[in-house]
Each structure stands twice: as C-alpha cells, then as structure tokens.
Amino acid sequence: MQVAAGPGFVIEMVNLAERTWRTGSAPAEPLQTESLSVFFGSGGDRLTDPRIVYDALSSRWFASICDLDTGSVLLAVSASADPMAGWTVSSYLAPGCADQPRLGLADGIVVLGADIFRSCSDSGGVPIGGELWVLNKQELLGGSTKPDFTTEGPDSDFTSFAPVQSLSSTSTEYVVSVNEPSSRVVHLFAVDGIPPAAVSFSEVATPSITRLTRPPFASQPPTASGRAQPGIDTNDSRVLESVWENGRLWFTANTACQPAGDLLLRACARIAELSTATGTVTTDINLSQPGAHLFYPAVQPDSSGNLVVVYGESGISVKPEVATVGRAPDGTFTDPVVIAQSAGAYLGDRYGDYFGAARDPGSAGLVWVAGESGTDVADARGVTTTVASVASSATGAPPPPVLVADPPALRAVHAAGRGGKSMRLVYRALGDGTGVRAVVTVRTKKAVVFAKTTPTSALHAGELYSVSWRPAKKLHGTLSYCVHSISSTGELSPQSCSTVTLR
C-alpha cells in the first residue's frame, strides 16, 4: 500500500483500489474511492503492486502499477496539481513479469524499476534480473502517452532497482539496489540524460552495510486456548522505499536481526542513509523490539530534517499493528506511537509487501503515513489499512492540530428473535458523520458468533440503522451485542453494547 500528499489532497492506493481526500485546516474529506482498473483504464486485466507520489518540483502526481496480463508497467500522470482533474496513462512492456515496480523522479526524467521474472505464476517464475525504464518527464507532463524512453537491463547481476523520489532539484536520478537473497553492500547508481538524447547509467559507489538477510515470519498472540496463530509473511530483504533530498538518500528494507536482550532472531526494520556526494553510508541501523517483529518500514524526511518512519509490528504479546517513530537530525529517536491495531490475529494469506510515507508540501513538518493491520473485526479474515498524519516536535512543544473528525458514536438497541430466523440488529447514530462504517458483533461467553462491517455511508444523528442476521438454530438465550463506528481514516468511536435474546 502507498500514500502520497500534495497541496490540499492525500491519496492512498492499496491492492486494487484508491481513495482521495481533501485536506487542509478542517478534517480530511473523502472525495473519491474507485477501483484501480478504472483509475488506470486497464479493463479486466489483473493488476498488482501500486505506487504513487506527488512531485513538488512539477506540481503533478505520478502513479504506477504492474499489469500481469499484458506483462507491462502502467504509469499515470495527473493533468495538474488537482488529482481530480484527470490523468493520462502510458504503458511500458517488460521482458517478463515486472514484480514490485518502483517509481522515481528527478528534474527531467521519470524512472521505473522492477524485478523481472519469466512468468507471473503464483508459484513464482525464474528471476531474470533488474530492469529500468527512463522516461522523458517533460513529455509526460505535456500529456504524452508515448513519451521518449530508454531501458537498462534486465541485468541478472542486480535486483530490487529502487529509483528515488527526489524531493529537491537534481538532474541526476539516483537508484539503489541490494543483493539477493542477502547483501553486505548497497549499490548506488546514477542515471543522467533525458531521452531521446543519450542516457548514461553507472554504478558510482558500492559501500558496505550491515548484512541484510531474509527475515523470519512474524509471530502473533495465541488464541485464548493457547493455540498458535499463523505467522505473518514478512517477505524478503529487497529495497522497499527510497527517497533523496539535497545529497542525502534514505532507503528501507526488511531484515533479520537479534534485538538486544532477545534470545531469538526477529524481523527488523532497516533504515539506511547514504551521502550521494561521497558515496558513503552515514546511517545503517535496525529498528527492533525484544519479543516482537518489525517489518515493512517506509521513511520520509519532514521539512526540518526529521525522519518519520512507519512500520508494522507483531509478536506473541503484540497484536498486529501499525506504528510510527521519529528520528531527529542528531540521531535521537522519539518513542514509538501506535496508530492502528488489529482486533485479533491476522488470518489472511498475504500481508504487506510495503507501507508508505509522504511529506505534506502544504503543511510544514507534517508527514502522512499508511500501513496495514488485521481486520477491525475480531476473528475475521481480511485487512484494514490506516492513513494518518504525524509530526515530530520538541519535548513539551504543543502538539499539532488533529485534522481528523471523530466518527459519530452509536448506541446498540436490544433485539429479540429466534434461532434459524432472520432478524435485524438495530443501532442509533448519536451524531452526524460521512464516510463511516459500523462494526457489529454478537458473541456468547466463549466466542464471536456474528461479525459484520457495513459499507461506507453517511450517518445522521438520531436515525436508526440496522444489519440483518440469521442466527444458527441451536443458539438461544441472552447474547452480547456491540457496535462501534470507524471513520474513513480509521478512527474508532467508543463501543456500545446491549443484548440479543434468542428463543
């Protein structure tokens, strides 16, 4: 999943959908939610691995995604700084399956990078190598769907080509890469030139780093009966995110490490910084936590040089959650802040691949972060994504204003029915809200017997709403019935509980 922030707007992309919010001095206002097949105009093609950035240098939005059926990478460019004012889409054929395409920008070029496999089968194809597409940025800004471009690769010597998002002006686009399945170096490349003129691609430095290696699966809290829950797939140690500003390049990756005071190997979040002027590593650290796993880190510097890092966390005593931490220019870290937590264990087949972070160009010091946790309904399958704005501030300084409207409180209304017969579970809205979902659960003393999250809708104070439930024939007696609401940004209202009587 990804997030991008521009003047007055925030966009999240996750799996196959995107949502746009209007932001400013008031609570974020949802403007649009649509399928990425509609956004990219790809019809019924299978899509995966979206990326999105706002480029302050050109005042435009750029988004990319892999089209599995055409074997290509799609690139969308906004017509203006307003993401609601239209986009143009171009397509770039890959010599195989373009896995996890990455998106970078400099002054005159847009660079796409991907790991190429011979096929996109579920079992995974044979790796061919890393590939780059170097595109004429000015032609893209002019609305061209067939800009001049050139390619580099696929090169079997390199994987995880990660072109950087350049936050300050540069004619050179930097690209970083690490070796697979483990790496003790980072490869730093420079891309110069604008197609159709000649383009040069050269490795300018290969500094050493602490070894990156594939992380273990992340554990989860066991069930109430002590049964182990499935581990969370933390994927591999390829580069996840890369960003550059004024000669400083940051990148993130998953890795394995042993936290201080821990006896076990854990998934850890690698944060590294390079000086592109000297080709040296200036920061190379693992974020880790004894007894827990940290994974899928994304990083973004704010306008004052503080780093904001968002990551996932899970462990035997930690439900899957999204957390964020700040790092000051002097290297000191803030305490982590949890911004979303699963109701229970994550039970889906896949998890993550990458999270997102984006500086807000319209609000000094503000960085938007996006991450994934388990569903907001206990014991249910699926995922919930969270978008939040964070800011680093000195100890004792006033906190930044909260720009997210609290979701309206709900009140559960007692219900009665008969096992095996359909009935309505009714709740009343105690306030107004837009873009709100309601989460309804019914449980016995031992287990949840019904859970439902409603579609997003508007709620009005005093109005009654309901969901349909057909309880099993064997259920009878008095059961607990609870309801709460969730805002479009993942904020939860207090839970209200009543009872259901089944005859």
Side-chain angles (χ1 to χ4, degrees), residues 241-265:
E241 290 263 319
S242 57
V243 61
W244 179 92
E245 184 174 34
N246 296 325
R248 303 170 70 188
L249 188 158
W250 297 270
F251 74 90
T252 64
N254 295 321
T255 190
C257 79
Q258 188 171 341
D262 202 324
L263 300 178
L264 299 177
L265 205 63

PDB file of all heavy atoms in Angstrom, residues 241-265:
ATOM      1  N   GLU A 241      11.599   1.211   0.035  1.00  0.00           N
ATOM      2  CA  GLU A 241      11.350   2.615  -0.263  1.00  0.00           C
ATOM      3  C   GLU A 241      12.688   3.334  -0.404  1.00  0.00           C
ATOM      4  O   GLU A 241      13.675   2.962   0.249  1.00  0.00           O
ATOM      5  CB  GLU A 241      10.562   3.282   0.878  1.00  0.00           C
ATOM      6  CG  GLU A 241       9.133   2.824   1.006  1.00  0.00           C
ATOM      7  CD  GLU A 241       8.164   3.754   0.316  1.00  0.00           C
ATOM      8  OE1 GLU A 241       8.338   4.988   0.409  1.00  0.00           O
ATOM      9  OE2 GLU A 241       7.233   3.263  -0.333  1.00  0.00           O
ATOM     10  N   SER A 242      12.759   4.383  -1.234  1.00  0.00           N
ATOM     11  CA  SER A 242      13.967   5.194  -1.349  1.00  0.00           C
ATOM     12  C   SER A 242      13.573   6.631  -1.663  1.00  0.00           C
ATOM     13  O   SER A 242      12.672   6.881  -2.463  1.00  0.00           O
ATOM     14  CB  SER A 242      14.902   4.640  -2.431  1.00  0.00           C
ATOM     15  OG  SER A 242      14.244   4.560  -3.681  1.00  0.00           O
ATOM     16  N   VAL A 243      14.260   7.577  -1.012  1.00  0.00           N
ATOM     17  CA  VAL A 243      13.941   8.991  -1.176  1.00  0.00           C
ATOM     18  C   VAL A 243      15.240   9.786  -1.053  1.00  0.00           C
ATOM     19  O   VAL A 243      16.153   9.388  -0.311  1.00  0.00           O
ATOM     20  CB  VAL A 243      12.883   9.436  -0.133  1.00  0.00           C
ATOM     21  CG1 VAL A 243      13.397   9.263   1.282  1.00  0.00           C
ATOM     22  CG2 VAL A 243      12.446  10.873  -0.372  1.00  0.00           C
ATOM     23  N   TRP A 244      15.347  10.901  -1.790  1.00  0.00           N
ATOM     24  CA  TRP A 244      16.580  11.702  -1.823  1.00  0.00           C
ATOM     25  C   TRP A 244      16.255  13.174  -1.663  1.00  0.00           C
ATOM     26  O   TRP A 244      15.238  13.656  -2.197  1.00  0.00           O
ATOM     27  CB  TRP A 244      17.285  11.468  -3.159  1.00  0.00           C
ATOM     28  CG  TRP A 244      18.567  12.237  -3.349  1.00  0.00           C
ATOM     29  CD1 TRP A 244      19.829  11.842  -3.052  1.00  0.00           C
ATOM     30  CD2 TRP A 244      18.694  13.563  -3.910  1.00  0.00           C
ATOM     31  NE1 TRP A 244      20.743  12.811  -3.386  1.00  0.00           N
ATOM     32  CE2 TRP A 244      20.066  13.886  -3.915  1.00  0.00           C
ATOM     33  CE3 TRP A 244      17.776  14.497  -4.401  1.00  0.00           C
ATOM     34  CZ2 TRP A 244      20.556  15.100  -4.381  1.00  0.00           C
ATOM     35  CZ3 TRP A 244      18.250  15.714  -4.872  1.00  0.00           C
ATOM     36  CH2 TRP A 244      19.623  16.002  -4.867  1.00  0.00           C
ATOM     37  N   GLU A 245      17.120  13.887  -0.938  1.00  0.00           N
ATOM     38  CA  GLU A 245      16.976  15.333  -0.829  1.00  0.00           C
ATOM     39  C   GLU A 245      18.323  15.947  -0.482  1.00  0.00           C
ATOM     40  O   GLU A 245      18.981  15.542   0.485  1.00  0.00           O
ATOM     41  CB  GLU A 245      15.941  15.710   0.232  1.00  0.00           C
ATOM     42  CG  GLU A 245      15.683  17.212   0.316  1.00  0.00           C
ATOM     43  CD  GLU A 245      14.560  17.575   1.265  1.00  0.00           C
ATOM     44  OE1 GLU A 245      14.403  16.874   2.292  1.00  0.00           O
ATOM     45  OE2 GLU A 245      13.842  18.551   0.984  1.00  0.00           O
ATOM     46  N   ASN A 246      18.757  16.910  -1.282  1.00  0.00           N
ATOM     47  CA  ASN A 246      19.962  17.701  -1.016  1.00  0.00           C
ATOM     48  C   ASN A 246      21.169  16.834  -0.649  1.00  0.00           C
ATOM     49  O   ASN A 246      21.879  17.089   0.326  1.00  0.00           O
ATOM     50  CB  ASN A 246      19.684  18.718   0.098  1.00  0.00           C
ATOM     51  CG  ASN A 246      18.638  19.739  -0.300  1.00  0.00           C
ATOM     52  OD1 ASN A 246      18.554  20.140  -1.455  1.00  0.00           O
ATOM     53  ND2 ASN A 246      17.807  20.137   0.660  1.00  0.00           N
ATOM     54  N   GLY A 247      21.400  15.791  -1.433  1.00  0.00           N
ATOM     55  CA  GLY A 247      22.591  14.976  -1.255  1.00  0.00           C
ATOM     56  C   GLY A 247      22.461  13.837  -0.261  1.00  0.00           C
ATOM     57  O   GLY A 247      23.419  13.070  -0.075  1.00  0.00           O
ATOM     58  N   ARG A 248      21.288  13.687   0.357  1.00  0.00           N
ATOM     59  CA  ARG A 248      21.077  12.609   1.332  1.00  0.00           C
ATOM     60  C   ARG A 248      20.030  11.652   0.784  1.00  0.00           C
ATOM     61  O   ARG A 248      18.957  12.062   0.358  1.00  0.00           O
ATOM     62  CB  ARG A 248      20.629  13.179   2.677  1.00  0.00           C
ATOM     63  CG  ARG A 248      21.583  14.191   3.270  1.00  0.00           C
ATOM     64  CD  ARG A 248      20.986  14.893   4.467  1.00  0.00           C
ATOM     65  NE  ARG A 248      20.861  14.012   5.612  1.00  0.00           N
ATOM     66  CZ  ARG A 248      20.228  14.347   6.741  1.00  0.00           C
ATOM     67  NH1 ARG A 248      19.631  15.538   6.851  1.00  0.00           N
ATOM     68  NH2 ARG A 248      20.168  13.509   7.738  1.00  0.00           N
ATOM     69  N   LEU A 249      20.364  10.368   0.790  1.00  0.00           N
ATOM     70  CA  LEU A 249      19.477   9.328   0.256  1.00  0.00           C
ATOM     71  C   LEU A 249      19.141   8.349   1.366  1.00  0.00           C
ATOM     72  O   LEU A 249      20.051   7.808   2.015  1.00  0.00           O
ATOM     73  CB  LEU A 249      20.162   8.609  -0.909  1.00  0.00           C
ATOM     74  CG  LEU A 249      19.339   7.607  -1.723  1.00  0.00           C
ATOM     75  CD1 LEU A 249      19.978   7.413  -3.100  1.00  0.00           C
ATOM     76  CD2 LEU A 249      19.198   6.238  -1.051  1.00  0.00           C
ATOM     77  N   TRP A 250      17.851   8.114   1.577  1.00  0.00           N
ATOM     78  CA  TRP A 250      17.396   7.159   2.584  1.00  0.00           C
ATOM     79  C   TRP A 250      16.717   5.983   1.880  1.00  0.00           C
ATOM     80  O   TRP A 250      16.007   6.171   0.894  1.00  0.00           O
ATOM     81  CB  TRP A 250      16.382   7.799   3.535  1.00  0.00           C
ATOM     82  CG  TRP A 250      16.914   8.930   4.344  1.00  0.00           C
ATOM     83  CD1 TRP A 250      17.507   8.881   5.572  1.00  0.00           C
ATOM     84  CD2 TRP A 250      16.876  10.326   3.982  1.00  0.00           C
ATOM     85  NE1 TRP A 250      17.848  10.142   5.992  1.00  0.00           N
ATOM     86  CE2 TRP A 250      17.484  11.045   5.038  1.00  0.00           C
ATOM     87  CE3 TRP A 250      16.413  11.018   2.861  1.00  0.00           C
ATOM     88  CZ2 TRP A 250      17.623  12.429   5.013  1.00  0.00           C
ATOM     89  CZ3 TRP A 250      16.557  12.406   2.824  1.00  0.00           C
ATOM     90  CH2 TRP A 250      17.146  13.091   3.894  1.00  0.00           C
ATOM     91  N   PHE A 251      16.945   4.777   2.393  1.00  0.00           N
ATOM     92  CA  PHE A 251      16.187   3.629   1.895  1.00  0.00           C
ATOM     93  C   PHE A 251      15.873   2.696   3.046  1.00  0.00           C
ATOM     94  O   PHE A 251      16.508   2.739   4.111  1.00  0.00           O
ATOM     95  CB  PHE A 251      16.929   2.895   0.765  1.00  0.00           C
ATOM     96  CG  PHE A 251      18.110   2.066   1.200  1.00  0.00           C
ATOM     97  CD1 PHE A 251      17.959   0.727   1.557  1.00  0.00           C
ATOM     98  CD2 PHE A 251      19.381   2.607   1.234  1.00  0.00           C
ATOM     99  CE1 PHE A 251      19.040  -0.044   1.937  1.00  0.00           C
ATOM    100  CE2 PHE A 251      20.482   1.851   1.609  1.00  0.00           C
ATOM    101  CZ  PHE A 251      20.311   0.517   1.965  1.00  0.00           C
ATOM    102  N   THR A 252      14.857   1.837   2.841  1.00  0.00           N
ATOM    103  CA  THR A 252      14.415   0.915   3.879  1.00  0.00           C
ATOM    104  C   THR A 252      14.343  -0.497   3.319  1.00  0.00           C
ATOM    105  O   THR A 252      14.238  -0.711   2.117  1.00  0.00           O
ATOM    106  CB  THR A 252      13.019   1.302   4.412  1.00  0.00           C
ATOM    107  OG1 THR A 252      12.060   1.178   3.350  1.00  0.00           O
ATOM    108  CG2 THR A 252      13.002   2.720   4.951  1.00  0.00           C
ATOM    109  N   ALA A 253      14.385  -1.470   4.237  1.00  0.00           N
ATOM    110  CA  ALA A 253      14.286  -2.881   3.857  1.00  0.00           C
ATOM    111  C   ALA A 253      13.894  -3.693   5.073  1.00  0.00           C
ATOM    112  O   ALA A 253      14.075  -3.261   6.223  1.00  0.00           O
ATOM    113  CB  ALA A 253      15.611  -3.391   3.291  1.00  0.00           C
ATOM    114  N   ASN A 254      13.340  -4.869   4.843  1.00  0.00           N
ATOM    115  CA  ASN A 254      13.166  -5.854   5.900  1.00  0.00           C
ATOM    116  C   ASN A 254      14.482  -6.607   6.076  1.00  0.00           C
ATOM    117  O   ASN A 254      15.236  -6.803   5.118  1.00  0.00           O
ATOM    118  CB  ASN A 254      12.081  -6.871   5.535  1.00  0.00           C
ATOM    119  CG  ASN A 254      10.706  -6.257   5.419  1.00  0.00           C
ATOM    120  OD1 ASN A 254      10.344  -5.390   6.191  1.00  0.00           O
ATOM    121  ND2 ASN A 254       9.937  -6.713   4.443  1.00  0.00           N
ATOM    122  N   THR A 255      14.737  -7.095   7.292  1.00  0.00           N
ATOM    123  CA  THR A 255      15.906  -7.936   7.511  1.00  0.00           C
ATOM    124  C   THR A 255      15.678  -8.765   8.773  1.00  0.00           C
ATOM    125  O   THR A 255      14.682  -8.585   9.483  1.00  0.00           O
ATOM    126  CB  THR A 255      17.186  -7.097   7.646  1.00  0.00           C
ATOM    127  OG1 THR A 255      18.340  -7.957   7.622  1.00  0.00           O
ATOM    128  CG2 THR A 255      17.192  -6.285   8.945  1.00  0.00           C
ATOM    129  N   ALA A 256      16.599  -9.681   9.026  1.00  0.00           N
ATOM    130  CA  ALA A 256      16.577 -10.457  10.264  1.00  0.00           C
ATOM    131  C   ALA A 256      17.632  -9.885  11.208  1.00  0.00           C
ATOM    132  O   ALA A 256      18.726  -9.505  10.768  1.00  0.00           O
ATOM    133  CB  ALA A 256      16.871 -11.924   9.984  1.00  0.00           C
ATOM    134  N   CYS A 257      17.305  -9.809  12.483  1.00  0.00           N
ATOM    135  CA  CYS A 257      18.296  -9.385  13.474  1.00  0.00           C
ATOM    136  C   CYS A 257      17.898  -9.955  14.829  1.00  0.00           C
ATOM    137  O   CYS A 257      16.785 -10.478  14.998  1.00  0.00           O
ATOM    138  CB  CYS A 257      18.423  -7.864  13.542  1.00  0.00           C
ATOM    139  SG  CYS A 257      17.128  -7.004  14.477  1.00  0.00           S
ATOM    140  N   GLN A 258      18.791  -9.857  15.784  1.00  0.00           N
ATOM    141  CA  GLN A 258      18.521 -10.303  17.150  1.00  0.00           C
ATOM    142  C   GLN A 258      18.514  -9.080  18.053  1.00  0.00           C
ATOM    143  O   GLN A 258      19.559  -8.524  18.358  1.00  0.00           O
ATOM    144  CB  GLN A 258      19.576 -11.302  17.627  1.00  0.00           C
ATOM    145  CG  GLN A 258      19.245 -11.942  18.970  1.00  0.00           C
ATOM    146  CD  GLN A 258      20.196 -13.084  19.316  1.00  0.00           C
ATOM    147  OE1 GLN A 258      20.865 -13.623  18.442  1.00  0.00           O
ATOM    148  NE2 GLN A 258      20.250 -13.453  20.579  1.00  0.00           N
ATOM    149  N   PRO A 259      17.328  -8.600  18.453  1.00  0.00           N
ATOM    150  CA  PRO A 259      17.271  -7.404  19.293  1.00  0.00           C
ATOM    151  C   PRO A 259      18.035  -7.590  20.597  1.00  0.00           C
ATOM    152  O   PRO A 259      18.152  -8.712  21.119  1.00  0.00           O
ATOM    153  CB  PRO A 259      15.766  -7.229  19.558  1.00  0.00           C
ATOM    154  CG  PRO A 259      15.090  -7.989  18.454  1.00  0.00           C
ATOM    155  CD  PRO A 259      15.991  -9.145  18.165  1.00  0.00           C
ATOM    156  N   ALA A 260      18.564  -6.504  21.135  1.00  0.00           N
ATOM    157  CA  ALA A 260      19.277  -6.559  22.405  1.00  0.00           C
ATOM    158  C   ALA A 260      18.372  -7.129  23.484  1.00  0.00           C
ATOM    159  O   ALA A 260      17.222  -6.708  23.628  1.00  0.00           O
ATOM    160  CB  ALA A 260      19.756  -5.162  22.793  1.00  0.00           C
ATOM    161  N   GLY A 261      18.866  -8.122  24.215  1.00  0.00           N
ATOM    162  CA  GLY A 261      18.096  -8.751  25.277  1.00  0.00           C
ATOM    163  C   GLY A 261      17.168  -9.837  24.814  1.00  0.00           C
ATOM    164  O   GLY A 261      16.426 -10.407  25.625  1.00  0.00           O
ATOM    165  N   ASP A 262      17.172 -10.156  23.518  1.00  0.00           N
ATOM    166  CA  ASP A 262      16.295 -11.190  22.970  1.00  0.00           C
ATOM    167  C   ASP A 262      17.130 -12.414  22.639  1.00  0.00           C
ATOM    168  O   ASP A 262      18.276 -12.306  22.191  1.00  0.00           O
ATOM    169  CB  ASP A 262      15.597 -10.670  21.709  1.00  0.00           C
ATOM    170  CG  ASP A 262      14.319 -11.430  21.386  1.00  0.00           C
ATOM    171  OD1 ASP A 262      14.272 -12.652  21.619  1.00  0.00           O
ATOM    172  OD2 ASP A 262      13.366 -10.792  20.887  1.00  0.00           O
ATOM    173  N   LEU A 263      16.539 -13.593  22.807  1.00  0.00           N
ATOM    174  CA  LEU A 263      17.240 -14.838  22.503  1.00  0.00           C
ATOM    175  C   LEU A 263      16.933 -15.349  21.102  1.00  0.00           C
ATOM    176  O   LEU A 263      17.570 -16.307  20.647  1.00  0.00           O
ATOM    177  CB  LEU A 263      16.871 -15.917  23.535  1.00  0.00           C
ATOM    178  CG  LEU A 263      17.209 -15.604  24.993  1.00  0.00           C
ATOM    179  CD1 LEU A 263      16.736 -16.742  25.900  1.00  0.00           C
ATOM    180  CD2 LEU A 263      18.701 -15.371  25.165  1.00  0.00           C
ATOM    181  N   LEU A 264      15.952 -14.735  20.419  1.00  0.00           N
ATOM    182  CA  LEU A 264      15.509 -15.237  19.127  1.00  0.00           C
ATOM    183  C   LEU A 264      15.808 -14.249  18.006  1.00  0.00           C
ATOM    184  O   LEU A 264      15.971 -13.046  18.235  1.00  0.00           O
ATOM    185  CB  LEU A 264      14.000 -15.525  19.158  1.00  0.00           C
ATOM    186  CG  LEU A 264      13.522 -16.567  20.171  1.00  0.00           C
ATOM    187  CD1 LEU A 264      12.009 -16.679  20.123  1.00  0.00           C
ATOM    188  CD2 LEU A 264      14.177 -17.913  19.920  1.00  0.00           C
ATOM    189  N   LEU A 265      15.857 -14.777  16.785  1.00  0.00           N
ATOM    190  CA  LEU A 265      16.003 -13.967  15.588  1.00  0.00           C
ATOM    191  C   LEU A 265      14.636 -13.384  15.239  1.00  0.00           C
ATOM    192  O   LEU A 265      13.631 -14.110  15.228  1.00  0.00           O
ATOM    193  CB  LEU A 265      16.531 -14.827  14.447  1.00  0.00           C
ATOM    194  CG  LEU A 265      17.290 -14.128  13.319  1.00  0.00           C
ATOM    195  CD1 LEU A 265      18.563 -13.485  13.856  1.00  0.00           C
ATOM    196  CD2 LEU A 265      17.627 -15.132  12.225  1.00  0.00           C
TER     197      LEU A 265
END
